[in-house]
Amino acid sequence: MPKGASYDAVVVGAGPNGLAAAITLARAGRSVLVIEGRETIGGGNRTAELTLPGFRHDVCAAVHPLVPGSPFLRSLPLERFGVEWVQPEIAAAHPLDDGTAVGLHRSLAETASSIGADGRRWARLFGPIAADWEKLAPMVLGPYPVGVELPALVRFGIPAAMPVHLLSRLCFHEERARALFAGLAAHSSLSFRQPFTSAFGMLLGILAHAVGWPFARGGAQAITDAMGAYLRALGGDIVAGWQVQSLDELPPSRTVLLDVTPRQVLRLTGARLPAAYRRRLEGFRYGPGVFKVDYALSEPVPWRAQVCRGAGTVHLGGTLAEIADSEEATNGGRIPERPYVLAAQHSLFDATRAPAGKHTLWAYCHTPHGSTDDMTAAIEAQIERFAPGFGDTVLARAVMNGADYERYNPNYVGGDINSGVQDLRQLWTRPVLRFPPYSTPAPGLYLCSSSTPPGGGVHGMCGFNAARAALRRL
């Protein structure tokens, strides 16, 4: 950063949303500086050798259906700056105790065949809305559910508004489809009894059929590195290793965008925000945390079900009832006896992730907010349940609990990787009810983190929408 420089905009935080905001401003011809507290940019999109040399693990986000699904990120020349996509044909697999598994394929017909008796019902539910994705994306990933064609809104909105339990009973008759849908919906980290929890399962199912669940060759870091390189090509500046403690430290600018959650906003802004708005930010609610284990393996996971051996992601939790119990426990502040586990097996499709002949596994489960409990044994019990002998393949492991995640990234308060509960009360009113939700009462100050709509996920839309709001005032 040149000494004494001033900017049209300064962005604090270089995660996907902060970079998206900066790119949007730079594309509009504005001068932009991005400040990152850690030595590398990326936020929740970083890759590191966490276990043994040569084993590359994604520290947070690992599979990226929302990148090709995002109107903003899809518009970026990421491939020109080094991103190469890996696209498993089977987006996700869901093993069951009978030794079989349901496969969520790109192909709707193959998914229906894997499900069995409920296959036609799955196709009737997801087929039309997967075809509608281009129409739905501005609504689902925008600040408010407006500006979409009514038929597409109805096809998505009615089932999405239901609790998972209700939609599963109405749409599916057998356990295979219900379990597959439960595994998708549990990404929300919410109790299945709440309204709109089906929206998360619907969204991930739509994306699987519309764009797939790809990931970046070499690791998630490639995505944010490409975004940073593109920003620099547009004339933007990035400074890493600067942990901002107060907005008073920032160089002169016409506007500031904060890729942080309400807790850090309150710390950074001091007396700039009115007392009433500060009280509303103080009431912002954070959700359950996560516990993650990264594995270095001597060979691929020995899944019993062949479908799991060809899937990029595997959801471990058995039946709808079991997954519901796990999510109910974490939302109630209890450790689940049999946690719902998400696993990603990048090295099956990307040889750069591990030394020749070796493999990686990325796995996490949900835990109560702020938990420091060690869930390693519980996670490995769930893996062994569907892949007997898994323990014999483990060369090394690295673990992170919710408190570790918050130390790693202050936006993950209590281990909440969505930067705030995404239930009905905070789905569109993130962080408070305000239009636009990215603005604050302080002139020229905007919020652009996952604590704003549309919430968690690597889509960049929080930053894009916030920058557009800022541009209207610049």
Side-chain angles (χ1 to χ4, degrees):
M1 182 180 69
K3 186 175 182 180
S6 63
Y7 295 86
D8 290 319
V10 173
V11 179
V12 178
N17 283 313
L19 293 169
I23 289 169
T24 303
L25 292 161
R27 278 174 154 181
R30 309 298 181 176
S31 59
V32 186
L33 168 67
V34 178
I35 301 172
E36 167 58 40
R38 295 182 67 88
E39 295 300 324
T40 58
I41 65 171
N45 233 45
R46 293 190 180 100
T47 305
E49 293 186 347
L50 301 176
T51 54
L52 298 172
F55 290 84
R56 294 180 58 78
H57 307 277
D58 288 335
V59 183
C60 304
V63 180
H64 296 89
L66 279 167
V67 174
S70 164
F72 172 73
L73 288 182
R74 195 170 58 238
S75 75
L76 304 186
L78 297 177
E79 292 80 2
R80 177 152 57 94
F81 290 92
V83 175
E84 181 182 349
W85 293 109
V86 178
Q87 181 76 273
E89 180 56 36
I90 304 175
H94 192 110
L96 300 167
D97 285 315
D98 63 2
T100 67
V102 190
L104 178 65
H105 298 252
R106 280 292 300 275
S107 163
L108 197 64
E110 288 186 57
T111 303
S113 176
S114 183
I115 289 171
D118 277 330
R120 288 185 179 179
R121 298 182 182 91
W122 184 278
R124 282 200 301 269
L125 176 63
F126 281 99
I129 51 179
D132 282 342
W133 175 247
E134 294 302 319
K135 302 173 186 176
L136 285 169
M139 178 199 80
V140 176
L141 299 178
Y144 295 109
V146 296
V148 68
E149 294 181 19
L150 185 59
L153 177 61
V154 170
R155 281 191 290 268
F156 175 78
I158 291 177
M162 297 181 190
V164 173
H165 281 304
L166 178 59
L167 181 68
S168 298
R169 285 200 303 270
L170 292 177
C171 290
F172 308 122
H173 295 172
E174 296 188 351
E175 186 54 49
R176 292 177 71 83
R178 289 176 176 175
L180 178 61
F181 187 76
L184 299 177
H187 282 249
S188 68
S189 300
L190 296 172
S191 164
F192 283 179
R193 302 180 187 280
Q194 296 192 45
F196 280 96
T197 44
S198 289
F200 297 88
M202 296 289 295
L203 174 60
L204 290 171
I206 291 167
L207 290 170
H209 298 309
V211 298
W213 285 16
F215 52 83
R217 189 174 303 279
Q221 185 77 49
I223 300 170
T224 38
D225 283 350
M227 292 178 74
Y230 180 47
L231 174 61
R232 290 188 173 102
L234 293 170
D237 291 334
I238 301 174
V239 175
W242 179 355
Q243 193 67 249
V244 177
Q245 302 298 326
S246 168
L247 297 189
D248 295 334
E249 301 173 28
L250 304 182
S253 68
R254 298 172 61 193
T255 192
V256 173
L257 295 96
L258 301 178
D259 184 9
V260 300
T261 80
R263 182 172 296 183
Q264 293 85 48
V265 171
L266 291 167
R267 177 177 59 79
L268 292 171
T269 54
R272 281 181 171 81
L273 296 172
Y277 184 78
R278 291 181 64 86
R279 284 194 295 272
R280 293 167 73 191
L281 289 182
E282 288 167 355
F284 185 76
R285 294 173 299 119
Y286 295 93
V290 298
F291 183 96
K292 184 164 80 83
V293 189
D294 286 290
Y295 294 97
L297 305 178
S298 61
E299 60 187 75
V301 179
W303 303 109
R304 279 190 297 169
Q306 188 64 34
V307 172
C308 295
R309 302 184 182 197
T313 300
V314 183
H315 294 153
L316 305 175
T319 64
L320 164 64
E322 181 183 323
I323 297 172
D325 287 346
S326 174
E327 299 308 288
E328 195 74 33
T330 58
N331 278 270
R334 306 186 309 277
I335 295 293
E337 291 183 15
R338 301 177 89 180
Y340 161 71
V341 175
L342 296 93
Q345 33 192 18
H346 301 96
S347 59
L348 291 181
F349 313 92
D350 177 6
T352 70
R353 300 296 185 106
K358 303 297 190 291
H359 286 272
T360 63
L361 185 71
W362 174 102
Y364 81 85
C365 70
H366 299 146
T367 60
H369 181 85
S371 171
T372 58
D373 287 71
D374 188 341
M375 300 295 291
T376 306
I379 287 175
E380 293 183 4
Q382 287 288 63
I383 300 173
E384 286 274 355
R385 173 182 170 188
F386 301 106
F390 167 73
D392 296 333
T393 72
V394 177
L395 300 173
R397 57 177 65 80
V399 304
M400 293 180 73
N401 60 35
D404 294 330
Y405 259 120
E406 184 173 351
R407 282 189 290 270
Y408 170 78
N409 185 345
N411 278 2
Y412 295 158
V413 177
D416 178 1
I417 58 176
N418 288 318
S419 298
V421 174
Q422 292 188 205
D423 61 5
L424 182 58
R425 286 171 54 195
Q426 286 190 171
L427 193 56
W428 291 292
T429 58
R430 299 169 71 83
V432 300
L433 180 58
R434 183 179 175 85
F435 186 82
Y438 315 97
S439 67
T440 74
L445 180 64
Y446 296 84
L447 311 182
C448 67
S449 73
S450 294
S451 296
T452 64
V458 181
H459 43 65
M461 293 298 290
C462 305
F464 170 68
N465 292 326
R468 289 206 304 173
L471 282 169
R472 286 193 284 269
R473 297 290 182 90
L474 274 174

